[in-house]
Amino acid sequence: MLNELELDALTELVNIGVSKAAGSLRDMVGEQILLSVPNVALFGREEAIAMLGESGQRRLVAVHQVFDGEISGRAMLIFHEANSLELVRAVAGGELSLEDIIELEQEALAETGNIVLNGCLATMANILQRSLKVSLPEVVRGEGAVLFNMAPPPEAGDIILFLYINFVLKSRDINGYIAMLMDMPSLEALALLLREFIERNSEDDE
């Protein structure tokens, strides 16, 4: 597992990635987008599923991408279904009918997810001085159990790295999550890379 210093370092990396993603989203929608500093936490799979179910909104929409390299796993941008429609409305702009929003939803969500997830993963890989291969984004719907049990079958010991984030787009307050599903070897590799990053920063400060 990650200690407090490593979690702080990871939060710093993700915050840099999220800030870059916000800039890219701003260019796409033509308006200021605010993304909160992510709150990072580690959960087991069942805990993560239970946490997503606590809100009472069981229908979820997620954009997911598989990443592979020294660390590997699946990155997901997760929204409650109602929030996903608000996100599409904000991204697409204009006064759209519900039919138009539903028609645009898949493409707009995939593009938004690609920008946010790639921004985070590419930034983390760059700062940690490693490379990652990332798959094309796919949109999936369902409850937490569906999202966190997609093929390839996850190992029983998988850890969910949860990053709660708040989007403010065009005066719409949209809550979402970034989740990274990793097995224990990948989490251990990430902890090692974070320790190296902390040591490099310590040396630079001396």
Side-chain angles (χ1 to χ4, degrees), residues 63-65 109-111 113-115 117-118 134-139:
V63 184
H64 72 97
Q65 294 179 274
L109 284 174
E111 181 62 20
N114 192 42
I115 287 171
L117 296 175
N118 257 325
V134 183
S135 70
L136 293 173
E138 293 183 30
V139 178

Side-chain angles (χ1 to χ4, degrees), residues 183-203:
D183 59 18
M184 287 304 294
S186 283
L187 190 63
E188 289 166 1
L190 177 60
L192 179 60
L193 293 175
L194 289 169
R195 284 195 291 272
E196 291 176 358
F197 166 71
I198 293 166
E199 287 169 7
R200 284 196 300 272
N201 275 16
S202 299
E203 289 169 2

